[in-house]
Amino acid sequence: MNITSFLIYCFIVTFTPGPTNIIILSTVHNSGTRKAMEYTYGATIAFGLLLVISAMLHTMLVTIIPKILIGMQIIGSFYMCYLAYQIYKMDTSKPTVNQTGTFMSGFLMQFLNPKVLLFTMTVIPSYVMPHYIEMTEVTISVIAITIIGFSAFTTWVLFGTIFKKFLQKHEKTVNVMMALFLVYAGVMIWM
């Protein structure tokens, strides 16, 4: 296995903007670091679980993917547009209960996030299993990729925390931009 190529792929996919990272940044902006970390924990556990599922069922998934991909695209697109709308209409001048910054919303988002689904369904079968098939080796790979994902999520929390004052100063613009990025991600599913 080309470890450099594998790591570059993992870092690019997990650190670049996607629905989860955008929600994390928005949650820090609107609800604070603690809520964003709660969301991050849920997202990380789901990310790791998806990697485990992929590793265990990769041969079956390859035959099923074409059948479930269209359904995941539809559900994912609608969910991202729903999240975009929630972020767009968010008004932090009024205290509200924020349901997007919870452990469960972070966990569930991963199962509807096409970027994460495609990544987790391809990284293990493409990079790991052609070279390593022992349970120990695959488990170490899953743990390493999950740690990379957690690092990406916490980097977005840190970024949001550092720039929180700036983000709050330009709140409406930030919310519109985050909403547009989510709509873009929802449209890119179909490209």
Side-chain angles (χ1 to χ4, degrees):
M1 173 169 68
N2 183 340
I3 204 83
T4 304
S5 175
F6 166 73
L7 290 175
I8 288 171
Y9 177 64
C10 290
F11 276 92
I12 287 173
V13 171
T14 58
F15 278 84
T16 55
T20 302
N21 297 338
I22 292 168
I23 296 294
I24 288 170
L25 185 61
S26 178
T27 302
V28 169
H29 166 67
N30 292 302
S31 301
T33 304
R34 179 171 282 159
K35 280 302 241 185
M37 284 306 298
E38 184 180 332
Y39 181 91
T40 296
Y41 296 139
T44 301
I45 289 173
F47 183 68
L49 182 60
L50 284 166
L51 287 166
V52 168
I53 291 168
S54 175
M56 291 172 45
L57 305 173
H58 87 279
T59 54
M60 189 171 83
L61 288 176
V62 169
T63 60
I64 295 175
I65 285 174
K67 296 172 186 153
I68 65 169
L69 187 57
I70 190 77
M72 291 309 300
Q73 286 175 307
I74 292 167
I75 293 168
S77 291
F78 279 115
Y79 187 64
M80 282 186 250
C81 288
Y82 167 76
L83 290 173
Y85 176 72
Q86 294 298 316
I87 289 171
Y88 173 76
K89 73 174 191 143
M90 195 174 290
D91 181 10
T92 58
S93 64
K94 299 176 194 167
T96 59
V97 176
N98 184 354
Q99 295 301 315
T100 61
T102 65
F103 177 90
M104 191 54 73
S105 65
F107 184 85
L108 293 176
M109 174 63 175
Q110 298 303 72
F111 289 93
L112 297 174
N113 183 344
K115 178 182 172 185
V116 168
L117 289 172
L118 290 174
F119 173 74
T120 57
M121 284 189 230
T122 59
V123 71
I124 298 293
S126 299
Y127 283 94
V128 178
M129 293 201 141
H131 307 283
Y132 306 106
I133 56 171
E134 293 296 321
M135 179 67 84
T136 306
E137 297 161 332
V138 174
T139 302
I140 290 169
S141 298
V142 166
I143 292 169
I145 298 166
T146 303
I147 290 169
I148 292 169
F150 180 70
S151 299
F153 299 151
T154 55
T155 298
W156 279 82
V157 171
L158 180 63
F159 174 78
T161 303
I162 291 170
F163 294 103
K164 186 171 183 169
K165 288 186 190 221
F166 173 81
L167 296 172
Q168 286 175 334
K169 182 178 178 185
H170 303 285
E171 176 181 351
K172 190 60 181 174
T173 303
V174 169
N175 283 352
V176 168
M177 288 177 58
M178 293 294 121
L180 288 174
F181 282 139
L182 278 171
V183 169
Y184 174 75
V187 169
M188 289 309 294
I189 291 171
W190 300 96
M191 302 297 172

